[in-house]
């Protein structure tokens, strides 16, 4: 297994760009006449952190998928929230999604490209989800998938891939993802530092690292489109393709070669972070959202819900205590999950306190106890089940509010999904854009608990220490 060490961020400037034509121009040429629908399955709500003016559906029945296919926009998202599910639950819903996708695609006679959007730090039900999709779609649609493209690059979150090592930016250093707290996740941990090794580890050796196709940063920077296309043409047997990238132009170069391979008859699935959907759909960047776009005049306070336990979230919450405006902090005692009826009582207590403050015009910060709640079991599904119970209880604080707050921020993937689908009861949302890089905002649908409310989805592993504080101050 390949070794890797932290490096300075200055390495990002050491790879010269050699292209003679702009990457955007080349991509535009390949996208002319390209009419496949782009369907993104998002395993938590944070995958829309690079896009705007795109719909997100929170179920995958044929009616929703049909609506997505019939939209003018080339792309739509389906929120599966599968990262909060057991492996068995995820398998079940991905079978349903594959069946419904095939039904709609065949009914409309419209082909699609499927992206499984996962965590940029490589957590989630992989390879389970993409293998289920592959097997079911091949059965239903009489096609063969040649390969799977592994693409976790996500610049806004400080995720870069260089010579197959995937890095997480921490201040002025790039840390191999396999050396971070994310690789020690109780449910989705891993040991590999090299993406090819990661594929081998996750597939239990079925796809050896030495056989995996590598698209290097030098190939991308030198615009070796023919060489990249030829590599993709040669992929077969659902082999994996791992791709380097340091900025969006690198993704544009790869997508140009990818589209050429698709036009030559190749079929791929993607397991990617949030940048791939943006570039493949050719969505331009837009300015960050402003207070005027997000908050109407309202004498009520807002609510910030913090569920994520990663170190970055805890540091951001502590910095929020230095907010320029008065806030009320309310701790939700998550350890009560072990007491019969404990979580229900805690939800009622916290909801009553929060509502009183919101009516007074004061913004509240509800946060779960910062110490991670442990279970007696080492079973990953049991550990995940406990996390989900806590998330459902804390998000019910919003679900049971009788007063519309001026804004809602949810911190953490499982937390933000539960707030959106269970507490706010959103069926379809529109992505307004981002309030900070990598931090998306939904506008809730007419069917939701608070229609038309900007809902800010703050991933647990994104932003600087001061980012949460800056967002709250912007909204107040």
């Amino acid at each position: 297994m390949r070794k890797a060490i932290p490096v300075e961020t200055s390495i990002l400037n050491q790879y010269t760009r050699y292209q003679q034509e702009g990457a955007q121009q080349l991509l535009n040429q390949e996208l002319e006449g390209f009419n496949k629908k782009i369907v993104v399955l998002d395993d938590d709500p944070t995958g829309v952190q690079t896009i705007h003016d795109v719909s997100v559906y929170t179920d995958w029945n044929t009616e929703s998928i049909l609506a997505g296919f019939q939209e003018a926009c080339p792309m739509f998202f389906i929120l599966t929230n599968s990262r909060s599910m057991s492996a068995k639950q995820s398998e079940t819903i991905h079978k349903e999604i594959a069946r419904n996708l095939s039904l709609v695609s065949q009914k409309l006679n419209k082909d699609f490209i499927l992206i499984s959007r996962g965590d940029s730090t490589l957590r989630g039900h992989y390879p389970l989800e993409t293998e289920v999709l592959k097997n079911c779609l091949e059965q239903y649609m009489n096609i063969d998938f040649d390969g799977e493209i592994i693409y976790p690059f996500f610049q806004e979150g400080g995720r870069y891939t260089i010579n197959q090592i995937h890095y997480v930016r921490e201040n002025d250093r790039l840390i191999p993802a396999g050396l971070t707290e994310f690789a020690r996740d109780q449910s989705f941990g891993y040991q590999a530092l090299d993406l090819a090794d990661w594929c081998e580890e996750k597939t239990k050796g079925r796809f050896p690292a030495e056989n995996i196709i590598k698209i290097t940063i030098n190939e991308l920077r030198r615009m070796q489109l023919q060489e990249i296309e030829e590599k993709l043409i040669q992929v077969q047997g659902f082999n994996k393709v791992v791709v380097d990238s340091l900025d969006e132009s690198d993704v544009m170069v790869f997508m140009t070669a990818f589209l050429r391979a698709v036009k030559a008859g190749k079929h791929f699935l993607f397991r990617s972070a949030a940048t791939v959907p943006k570039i493949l759909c050719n969505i331009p960047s837009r300015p960050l959202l402003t207070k005027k776009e997000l908050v109407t005049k309202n004498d009520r306070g807002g609510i910030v819900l913090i569920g994520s336990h990663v170190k970055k979230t805890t540091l951001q919450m502590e910095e929020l205590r230095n907010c320029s405006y008065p806030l009320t902090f309310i701790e939700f005692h998550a350890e009560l999950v072990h007491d019969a009826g404990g979580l229900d009582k805690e939800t009622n207590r916290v909801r009553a306190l929060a509502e009183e403050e919101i009516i007074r015009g004061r913004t509240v910060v509800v946060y779960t106890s910062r110490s991670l709640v442990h279970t007696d079991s080492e079973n990953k599904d049991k550990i995940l089940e406990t996390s989900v119970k806590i998330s459902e209880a804390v998000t019910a604080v919003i679900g049971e509010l009788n007063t519309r707050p001026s804004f809602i921020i949810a911190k953490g993937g499982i937390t933000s999904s539960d707030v959106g689908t269970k507490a706010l009861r959103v069926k379809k949302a529109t992505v307004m854009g981002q309030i900070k890089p990598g931090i998306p905002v939904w506008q809730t649908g007419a069917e939701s608990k608070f229609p038309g409310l900007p809902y800010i989805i703050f991933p647990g592993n994104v932003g600087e220490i001061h980012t949460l504080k800056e967002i709250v101050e912007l909204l107040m």
Side-chain angles (χ1 to χ4, degrees):
M1 187 171 286
R2 188 175 168 196
K3 295 182 179 180
I5 60 173
V7 296
E8 300 299 316
T9 53
S10 57
I11 195 174
L12 300 174
N13 302 317
Q14 293 177 11
Y15 292 88
T16 306
R17 195 177 297 284
Y18 291 93
Q19 64 249 48
Q20 299 302 308
E21 287 186 272
Q24 182 68 67
Q25 180 182 350
L26 287 169
L27 179 61
N28 289 345
Q29 291 172 359
E30 291 302 324
L31 284 170
E32 287 183 9
F34 183 78
N35 61 1
K36 295 178 187 288
K37 199 74 177 185
I38 302 167
V39 183
V40 187
L41 308 183
D42 202 353
D43 74 351
D44 79 4
T46 65
V48 295
Q49 55 205 151
T50 61
I51 62 170
H52 55 88
D53 300 316
V54 173
S55 295
V56 179
Y57 295 86
T58 64
D59 64 55
W60 43 89
N61 59 42
T62 53
E63 291 79 8
S64 293
I65 293 175
L66 181 63
F69 265 81
Q70 292 177 326
E71 289 183 359
C73 180
M75 178 171 70
F76 68 96
F77 276 63
I78 297 173
L79 174 60
T80 68
N81 198 34
S82 60
R83 210 183 308 167
S84 71
M85 298 178 182
S86 69
K88 185 62 178 176
Q89 289 171 322
S90 180
E91 179 181 1
T92 298
I93 70 161
H94 279 80
K95 286 179 178 178
E96 293 174 4
I97 291 168
R99 177 176 57 84
N100 292 346
L101 274 173
S102 64
L103 288 172
V104 172
S105 173
Q106 290 165 346
K107 177 180 180 179
L108 298 178
N109 193 28
K110 187 172 183 64
D111 201 359
F112 60 92
I113 290 178
L114 189 57
I115 299 172
S116 173
R117 201 296 304 189
D119 177 45
S120 63
T121 58
L122 305 173
R123 297 170 298 171
H125 290 295
Y126 180 85
L128 171 71
E129 292 173 347
T130 50
E131 289 183 349
V132 168
L133 292 167
K134 167 194 177 291
N135 293 335
C136 292
L137 290 173
E138 287 182 341
Q139 174 187 347
Y140 295 139
M141 302 185 69
N142 194 29
I143 60 172
D144 291 315
F145 283 97
D146 299 290
E148 178 179 29
I149 298 168
I150 309 297
Y151 214 147
F153 164 76
F154 172 45
Q155 188 171 2
E156 291 86 346
R159 316 290 193 252
Y160 306 92
T161 310
I162 309 171
N163 297 323
Q164 295 83 60
I165 305 297
H166 190 54
Y167 293 96
V168 175
R169 182 170 188 159
E170 293 184 5
N171 300 318
D172 294 329
R173 302 180 81 206
L174 299 180
I175 314 298
L179 298 179
T180 66
E181 62 177 317
F182 308 114
R184 299 188 294 274
D185 187 277
Q186 291 185 87
S187 300
F188 304 116
Y190 54 92
Q191 295 182 337
L193 305 181
D194 179 296
L195 276 182
D197 290 333
W198 180 82
C199 291
E200 179 176 328
E201 177 184 343
K202 286 294 183 178
T203 62
K204 302 188 186 311
R206 288 183 288 118
F207 292 90
E210 62 267 22
N211 294 341
I212 287 170
I213 306 300
K214 291 97 175 175
I215 308 299
T216 69
I217 189 63
N218 283 324
E219 290 173 314
L220 295 165
R221 290 294 166 98
R222 291 170 181 164
M223 298 288 286
Q224 293 177 311
L225 289 168
Q226 184 174 345
E227 290 85 347
I228 297 170
E229 181 186 353
E230 287 175 353
K231 283 187 175 183
L232 295 176
I233 293 291
Q234 293 168 9
V235 176
Q236 57 185 351
F238 206 52
N239 196 14
K240 314 309 174 193
V241 180
V242 299
V243 189
D244 288 352
S245 280
L246 303 183
D247 64 29
E248 288 189 356
S249 292
D250 299 323
V251 188
M252 291 176 188
V253 173
F254 176 80
M255 286 302 168
T256 299
F258 164 76
L259 289 168
R260 292 177 182 178
V262 169
K263 291 173 183 178
K266 301 297 286 187
H267 294 276
F268 293 94
L269 284 175
F270 279 94
R271 180 71 170 191
S272 83
T275 302
V276 162
K278 175 189 179 184
I279 301 303
L280 186 56
C281 192
N282 209 14
I283 296 176
S285 298
R286 61 145 291 165
L288 296 174
L289 294 163
T290 64
K291 179 178 181 177
K292 185 177 180 180
E293 293 173 285
L294 294 172
V295 179
T296 57
K297 189 172 183 181
N298 189 336
D299 59 358
R300 303 303 191 197
I303 183 167
V304 182
L305 202 63
I306 301 176
S308 169
H309 280 88
V310 300
K311 179 181 178 183
K312 178 170 283 189
T313 291
T314 300
L315 293 173
Q316 289 170 338
M317 187 188 79
E318 291 306 315
E319 178 63 21
L320 181 58
R321 294 183 185 275
N322 299 319
C323 182
S324 302
Y325 300 93
L327 304 173
T328 299
F329 283 76
I330 305 172
E331 180 176 2
F332 187 102
H333 295 285
E335 66 275 8
L336 293 173
V337 69
H338 298 306
D339 296 352
L343 287 181
D344 289 340
K345 293 177 182 177
E346 185 67 353
T347 296
N348 291 334
R349 179 188 74 86
V350 173
R351 195 273 311 158
L353 290 173
E355 187 133 46
E356 181 180 338
E357 293 295 290
I358 291 170
I359 290 171
R360 290 176 52 206
R362 192 177 178 105
T363 290
V364 297
V365 180
V366 175
Y367 64 97
T368 53
S369 312
R370 291 294 85 193
S371 57
L372 194 62
V373 176
H374 293 282
T375 67
D376 295 332
S377 173
E378 294 183 1
N379 181 285
K380 292 183 178 182
D381 285 346
K382 290 291 186 183
I383 294 170
L384 194 58
E385 183 181 333
T386 298
S387 297
V388 170
K389 285 181 180 178
I390 295 170
S391 178
E392 289 178 345
V394 71
T395 53
V397 170
I398 290 178
E400 295 174 13
L401 282 178
N402 297 309
T403 302
R404 180 184 175 111
S406 61
F407 62 86
I408 297 174
I409 302 172
K411 191 81 168 72
I414 295 176
T415 302
S416 59
S417 181
D418 282 350
V419 168
T421 61
K422 298 175 182 177
L424 295 178
R425 301 190 291 278
V426 174
K427 295 297 183 184
K428 177 187 175 183
T430 300
V431 184
M432 299 177 67
Q434 288 70 47
I435 190 169
K436 289 285 185 180
I439 302 171
V441 182
W442 282 7
Q443 185 171 54
T444 59
E447 78 291 343
S448 66
K449 179 179 177 67
F450 299 126
L453 181 76
Y455 168 42
I456 297 154
I457 297 167
F458 199 141
N461 57 8
V462 168
E464 304 300 329
I465 301 305
H466 49 76
T467 305
L468 179 58
K469 172 175 171 284
E470 289 176 347
I471 290 174
V472 172
E473 290 178 343
L474 171 69
L475 295 171
M476 292 183 69

